[in-house]
Amino acid sequence: MTMLDARIKAALELVTTATLTTVLLKKGLRNVWLRGAKPLTPQDRRIVGEAFTLRFVPAREDLATPASWASPRSTRGAIEDMPEGCIAVVDAMGVKDAGIFGDILCARMQKRGVAALVTDGVVRDGAGVIGTGLPVWCDGVAAPPSVAGLTFVNWQEPIGCGGVAVFPGDVIVLDADGAVLIPQALVTEVTAEAVEQEKLETWIMGEVEKGTPLPGLYPPNAETKARYEAEMKKG
């Protein structure tokens, strides 16, 4: 994995996932919001990091066994390969009756400096997972272990999570509204446009509070854009 530029990371931490989806939509990317990935606990900060992917497939009785947890190709092995600052993105195929990770695995991820866990599935040991302090975006909690409904197959390969194609190294942004993906090749461009969009919308909100009508303001017409740019130059 490459290291996410610190300036880009800091900039994205100030941009809402709602703004990012709008900027990406303007670039033709409609499918970037990971369905089912909701914060397990209330979140008051935004988390940004590169995707470290993990993939499950449907359970097969000869493979999805407790003995598989000791295999080199296991969730345990994947966790030991996670770099500090990454966001673990797990394809659980939306399965809601088998928890992919519990408190011990999440505690190890927290210890390794993993920024967050994101999945379209669920976790188990809910109170324990929350107690580890690892930020988690998931679709709920279930008591059964992963092997009750899933077979873990690999990590750091393209996956589908919440209906979104996720490649290792893509950038994930998390906030209270959910999880959004920015393709790695577009990160610099999208970040710059998103930061400018946030500035513009902050200014527009100020105009709304002054009583300015919406037509021509949002979205801004040429006259509004000129007025905005003039006020920005004044500083």
Side-chain angles (χ1 to χ4, degrees), residues 3 18 30 44 47 54 87 101 133 142 150 159 166 202 205 223:
M3 287 292 290
R30 298 175 179 273
D44 58 2
I47 300 174
L54 299 90
I87 293 178
F101 291 156
L150 295 162
I159 62 169
V166 184
T202 298
M205 183 62 79
E223 181 183 345

Side-chain angles (χ1 to χ4, degrees), residues 36-51:
K38 304 179 288 286
L40 185 60
T41 57
Q43 295 293 324
D44 58 2
R45 68 186 180 100
R46 194 163 291 110
I47 300 174
V48 180
E50 291 191 11

Side-chain angles (χ1 to χ4, degrees), residues 112-229:
R112 288 188 57 80
V114 172
L117 166 65
V118 181
T119 182
D120 55 2
V122 299
V123 294
R124 63 195 302 241
D125 305 315
V129 168
I130 293 169
T132 68
L134 178 73
V136 175
W137 271 250
C138 65
D139 205 9
V141 178
S146 60
V147 293
L150 295 162
T151 301
F152 181 72
V153 288
N154 210 356
W155 64 92
Q156 284 300 74
E157 63 180 30
I159 62 169
C161 183
V164 177
V166 184
F167 287 72
D170 285 338
V171 170
I172 305 295
V173 181
L174 308 170
D175 65 15
D177 287 352
V180 169
L181 175 142
I182 307 173
Q184 188 176 42
L186 297 177
V187 170
T188 301
E189 181 182 339
V190 167
T191 300
E193 293 182 23
V195 168
E196 176 55 31
Q197 182 74 19
E198 290 273 297
K199 290 179 183 176
L200 173 60
E201 291 193 1
T202 298
W203 180 83
I204 289 172
M205 183 62 79
E207 291 295 301
V208 170
E209 290 171 354
K210 292 175 186 176
T212 305
L214 288 178
L217 175 67
Y218 186 68
N221 58 20
E223 181 183 345
T224 299
K225 286 180 181 177
R227 191 156 58 87
Y228 163 71
E229 290 167 2

Side-chain angles (χ1 to χ4, degrees), residues 74-107:
S74 64
T75 51
R76 282 71 171 163
I79 288 171
E80 296 306 316
D81 205 27
M82 293 178 183
E84 183 177 356
C86 76
I87 293 178
V89 184
V90 185
D91 173 6
M93 305 184 308
V95 170
K96 297 182 183 180
D97 57 0
I100 57 162
F101 291 156
D103 53 359
I104 292 175
L105 272 64
C106 288

Side-chain angles (χ1 to χ4, degrees), residues 22-37:
T22 300
V23 170
L24 288 161
L25 177 64
K26 290 176 180 178
K27 295 188 173 299
L29 281 79
R30 298 175 179 273
N31 190 29
V32 293
W33 186 74
L34 280 63
R35 301 160 187 82

